[in-house]
C-alpha cells in the first residue's frame, strides 16, 4: 500500500508539473503574440531589408518582443493572483478550477523573476550590442563577426559591473564574510543587482506616478471629443481650410533654393492639417459621444485619482503609527485563505483597477518627463535602438510595480501555499518556497 501511495503521489506530482508548464506556455505565447504586433506597429518599416542588417534587426526584434512579453506578464501577475484568490474563495471545491492553486501562482512568479533577470542582464544588452556591432577590424565581416564582438562586449560589461559591486562592497563592509559572499555569483550578485534595479524602478515609479496622474486628464482630453460649448465648428473648419490653401499656394510659389523656408512652411502646413483633422473629427462625433463620454471619463479619472491618493495617505498614516503595518512585519493571507478586502470581490476588483491605473499613470508620467520625452515611440517610425530602450524602461517599471503596490498598501496578498495546495502539490511546495 505504501508503494502504491508513493507511485500515486509521484504520478500526481508529474501531472501537476505538466499542467502548470502547459498553462505557463499558453499564457506566455498569448503575451508574446500581442507584444509582437505592438512592436510591429511602431517599428520603422525602412529597417526591413533583406541583408545582414535585416537579420540583426529581426533577432533584436524577437528579443525585444520577448522582453515586452515578460514585462506584460509581470504587470498582469499581481491582478491574476488577486483574481485567483477570490475565485478559490468563491468555488473552493469546484472540479474545473483545480488547476488554479498556489503552486501555479508560485511557478508564475518564479518564472517572471527568472525571465526578468534574463532579459535585463543578458537579452537586452545582447540585442543592443548586436545591433550596434560591426565586427572586429581584420576579421571577415558577417553575422559571426558581429556575434563575436557582441559576446566580447557582454563579457567586458559583466566584468565592469561585477568589479563595481565588489569595490562598493569592499568600501562599505570590509570584513571576510562579505568578501567571500561576493564570489557566489548566483546567490549574491544577481539577486543583489536585481534588487538594486527594483529599487531604482520604485524610485522611478514614485517620480513618474504623480506626474502621470496629473497628465492623465490632458491625455484623455486629447483622445476624446470635447463638448462643443459656445463654439462654431463650421466656422473654425472654414478658417482652417482657408489657411491651409494659403500655405499651399505660398509653398508652391517658393523656389527650391529656399530650403529653410520650405521646411518651415511644410511643418506649419502639417500642423494645420492635423488641427483640421481634429476639428472634423469633433464635428462628425455624435451628441452622446461629445456630451456624455467625455464628462463621464473625466469624472471617473477624478474618482480613481482621489481613491488612490486617499488609500496611499491612509497607508502612510498606518505605517507611521503602527510598526506592525510595515510589509516586513506582517504576513497577509495566502492564496485561497481569506479575501484581501473587507468588501470581498468588489474590493478586490477595485484594487485591480487601481493597480492598472497606477501602472498606466506611471507610464504616462515616464514619457512626460523631459529627459525621457525622446523615448516616445512613433507609429511606423521607431528605430530598433529606441524600441530596445522602451522595452528596458517598461521592464524596470513593471518589475517594481508589485513592490510599490505592497509598500503603498494596495494589496496584502502573501504567496504561500494553501492547505489545499499542500495536499495536491506537496512534492513541489518546498522547491517553490526555496526558489522564492
Amino acid at each position: 500500500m505504501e508503494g502504491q501511495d508513493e507511485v500515486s503521489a509521484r504520478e500526481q506530482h508529474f501531472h501537476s508539473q505538466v499542467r502548470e508548464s502547459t498553462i505557463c506556455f499558453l499564457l506566455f505565447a498569448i503575451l508574446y503574440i500581442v507584444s509582437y504586433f505592438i512592436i510591429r506597429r511602431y517599428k520603422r518599416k525602412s529597417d526591413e531589408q533583406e541583408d545582414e542588417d535585416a537579420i540583426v534587426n529581426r533577432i533584436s526584434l524577437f528579443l525585444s518582443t520577448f522582453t515586452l512579453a515578460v514585462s506584460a506578464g509581470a504587470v498582469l501577475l499581481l491582478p491574476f493572483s488577486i483574481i485567483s484568490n477570490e475565485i478559490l474563495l468563491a468555488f473552493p471545491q469546484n472540479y474545473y478550477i483545480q488547476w488554479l492553486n498556489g503552486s501555479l501562482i508560485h511557478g508564475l512568479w518564479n518564472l517572471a523573476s527568472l525571465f526578468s533577470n534574463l532579459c535585463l542582464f543578458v537579452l537586452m544588452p545582447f540585442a543592443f550590442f548586436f545591433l550596434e556591432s560591426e565586427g572586429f577590424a581584420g576579421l571577415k565581416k558577417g553575422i559571426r563577426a558581429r556575434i563575436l564582438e557582441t559576446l566580447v562586449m557582454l563579457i567586458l560589461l559583466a566584468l565592469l559591473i561585477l568589479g563595481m559591486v565588489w569595490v562598493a562592497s569592499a568600501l562599505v563592509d570590509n570584513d571576510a564574510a562579505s568578501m567571500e559572499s561576493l564570489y557566489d555569483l548566483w546567490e549574491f550578485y544577481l539577486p543583489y543587482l536585481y534588487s538594486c534595479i527594483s529599487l531604482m524602478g520604485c524610485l522611478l515609479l514614485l517620480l513618474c506616478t504623480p506626474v502621470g496622474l496629473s497628465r492623465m486628464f490632458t491625455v484623455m482630453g486629447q483622445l476624446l471629443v470635447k463638448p462643443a460649448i459656445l463654439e462654431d465648428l463650421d466656422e473654425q473648419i472654414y478658417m482652417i481650410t482657408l489657411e491651409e490653401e494659403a500655405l499651399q499656394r505660398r509653398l508652391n510659389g517658393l523656389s527650391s533654393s529656399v530650403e529653410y523656408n520650405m521646411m518651415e512652411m511644410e511643418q506649419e502646413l502639417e500642423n494645420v492639417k492635423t488641427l483640421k483633422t481634429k476639428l472634423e473629427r469633433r464635428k462628425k462625433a455624435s451628441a452622446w459621444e461629445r456630451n456624455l463620454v467625455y464628462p463621464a471619463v473625466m469624472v471617473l479619472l477624478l474618482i480613481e485619482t482621489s481613491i488612490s491618493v486617499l488609500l496611499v495617505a491612509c497607508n502612510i498614516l498606518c505605517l507611521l503609527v503602527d510598526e506592525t503595518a510595515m510589509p516586513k512585519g506582517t504576513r497577509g493571507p495566502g492564496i485561497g485563505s481569506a479575501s484581501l478586502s473587507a468588501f470581498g470581490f468588489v474590493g478586490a476588483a477595485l484594487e485591480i483597477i487601481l493597480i492598472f491605473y497606477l501602472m498606466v499613470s506611471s507610464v504616462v508620467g515616464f514619457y512626460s518627463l523631459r529627459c525621457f520625452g525622446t523615448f516616445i515611440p512613433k507609429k511606423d517610425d521607431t528605430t530598433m535602438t529606441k524600441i530596445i530602450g522602451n522595452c528596458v524602461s517598461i521592464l524596470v517599471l513593471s518589475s517594481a510595480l508589485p513592490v510599490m503596490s505592497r509598500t503603498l498598501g494596495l494589496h496584502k496578498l502573501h504567496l504561500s501555499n494553501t492547505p489545499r495546495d499542500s495536499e495536491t502539490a506537496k512534492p513541489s511546495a518546498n522547491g517553490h518556497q526555496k526558489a522564492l
Side-chain angles (χ1 to χ4, degrees):
M1 289 297 293
E2 293 181 359
Q4 292 180 356
D5 293 340
E6 184 178 355
V7 172
S8 177
R10 193 176 302 168
E11 291 179 353
Q12 186 177 7
H13 173 60
F14 172 76
H15 291 303
S16 176
Q17 293 296 316
V18 171
R19 181 177 64 247
E20 293 176 11
S21 301
T22 304
I23 293 173
C24 294
F25 175 77
L26 292 176
L27 293 176
F28 184 78
I30 294 173
L31 293 176
Y32 188 90
I33 293 173
V34 175
S35 303
Y36 177 78
F37 283 109
I38 292 175
I39 293 181
R40 289 283 296 182
R41 178 181 176 85
Y42 291 99
K43 184 177 180 293
R44 178 178 292 177
K45 302 301 181 184
S46 60
D47 292 341
E48 299 179 356
Q49 302 96 2
E50 292 298 330
D51 54 4
E52 177 184 319
D53 291 334
I55 299 176
V56 174
N57 282 326
R58 197 172 296 117
I59 294 175
S60 301
L61 174 64
F62 293 151
L63 296 179
S64 301
T65 306
F66 184 87
T67 303
L68 186 60
V70 172
S71 304
V75 172
L76 294 174
L77 261 182
L78 188 55
F80 180 75
S81 303
I82 297 175
I83 293 175
S84 302
N85 181 71
E86 300 300 325
I87 291 177
L88 290 175
L89 285 175
F91 309 99
Q93 302 297 330
N94 195 315
Y95 173 76
Y96 295 101
I97 60 171
Q98 293 296 315
W99 57 273
L100 192 61
N101 50 42
S103 178
L104 174 64
I105 305 299
H106 268 277
L108 290 173
W109 280 101
N110 289 337
L111 288 177
S113 177
L114 175 64
F115 287 155
S116 297
N117 281 284
L118 181 65
C119 293
L120 198 59
F121 299 118
V122 180
L123 297 185
M124 284 294 94
F126 178 85
F128 177 76
F129 289 129
F130 190 46
L131 194 66
E132 300 294 329
S133 63
E134 296 180 357
F136 291 111
L139 296 179
K140 184 179 179 180
K141 301 297 183 181
I143 298 296
R144 293 184 177 179
R146 299 180 73 161
I147 292 177
L148 177 61
E149 181 183 353
T150 304
L151 293 178
V152 171
M153 292 298 297
L154 284 178
I155 293 174
L156 294 177
L157 179 63
L159 292 176
L160 176 63
I161 295 176
L162 295 179
M164 291 173 61
V165 174
W166 194 85
V167 171
S169 179
L171 293 175
V172 175
D173 191 5
N174 193 16
D175 60 338
S178 63
M179 300 297 289
E180 291 178 0
S181 66
L182 290 172
Y183 296 104
D184 196 341
L185 177 66
W186 187 259
E187 295 292 335
F188 180 82
Y189 266 117
L190 292 182
Y192 178 73
L193 288 176
Y194 188 69
S195 299
C196 293
I197 296 298
S198 297
L199 176 60
M200 293 173 57
C202 286
L203 297 177
L204 189 60
L205 276 178
L206 292 176
L207 176 64
C208 296
T209 304
V211 179
L213 291 175
S214 61
R215 283 280 301 171
M216 283 293 291
F217 295 92
T218 305
V219 173
M220 296 305 297
Q222 294 174 352
L223 296 177
L224 299 176
V225 178
K226 297 181 180 179
I229 302 176
L230 300 177
E231 286 184 293
D232 191 352
L233 295 179
D234 293 330
E235 182 180 355
Q236 293 184 17
I237 292 175
Y238 177 71
M239 294 174 61
I240 287 293
T241 304
L242 292 179
E243 186 177 355
E244 180 184 1
E245 293 176 355
L247 287 173
Q248 191 68 47
R249 286 194 299 267
R250 290 175 57 188
L251 188 61
N252 294 333
L254 288 177
S255 61
S256 58
S257 59
V258 191
E259 184 178 355
Y260 176 76
N261 291 337
M262 288 187 64
M263 293 178 58
E264 185 178 354
M265 291 191 64
E266 285 178 356
Q267 182 66 32
E268 187 176 355
L269 181 61
E270 188 68 26
N271 296 335
V272 170
K273 289 181 178 180
T274 303
L275 181 58
K276 181 181 177 181
T277 303
K278 293 180 179 179
L279 290 175
E280 290 177 348
R281 178 171 176 264
R282 291 182 61 186
K283 182 180 178 180
K284 294 178 181 178
S286 59
W288 70 269
E289 186 179 356
R290 290 196 306 264
N291 303 322
L292 182 62
V293 175
Y294 182 83
V297 171
M298 289 300 165
V299 171
L300 184 61
L301 286 178
L302 182 61
I303 293 174
E304 290 181 348
T305 304
S306 303
I307 293 176
S308 302
V309 174
L310 183 62
L311 287 177
V312 171
C314 292
N315 185 67
I316 291 176
L317 291 177
C318 291
L319 294 177
L320 292 175
V321 174
D322 188 6
E323 185 179 356
T324 60
M326 294 290 292
K328 65 178 182 178
T330 180
R331 292 173 67 89
I335 297 292
S337 300
S339 180
L340 300 178
S341 174
F343 300 100
F345 186 81
V346 177
L350 179 61
E351 287 187 357
I352 293 174
I353 293 174
L354 291 178
I355 289 173
F356 280 122
Y357 180 62
L358 288 179
M359 184 61 193
V360 174
S361 300
S362 64
V363 173
V364 172
F366 174 79
Y367 288 117
S368 299
L369 296 177
R370 184 173 301 178
C371 53
F372 299 110
T374 56
F375 272 53
I376 300 178
K378 299 179 181 179
K379 182 181 177 182
D380 297 332
D381 192 28
T382 306
T383 61
M384 276 306 306
T385 305
K386 189 175 291 186
I387 288 176
I388 291 173
N390 279 276
C391 291
V392 172
S393 303
I394 295 176
L395 179 63
V396 171
L397 292 175
S398 62
S399 64
L401 181 63
V403 179
M404 192 188 75
S405 300
R406 183 68 185 270
T407 304
L408 297 180
L410 293 180
H411 79 96
K412 299 179 177 61
L413 183 65
H414 176 66
L415 295 176
S416 61
N417 285 340
T418 61
R420 195 182 86 180
D421 300 329
S422 62
E423 295 176 1
T424 58
K426 184 179 295 184
S428 62
N430 294 332
H432 288 305
Q433 291 178 359
K434 183 179 179 180
L436 287 177

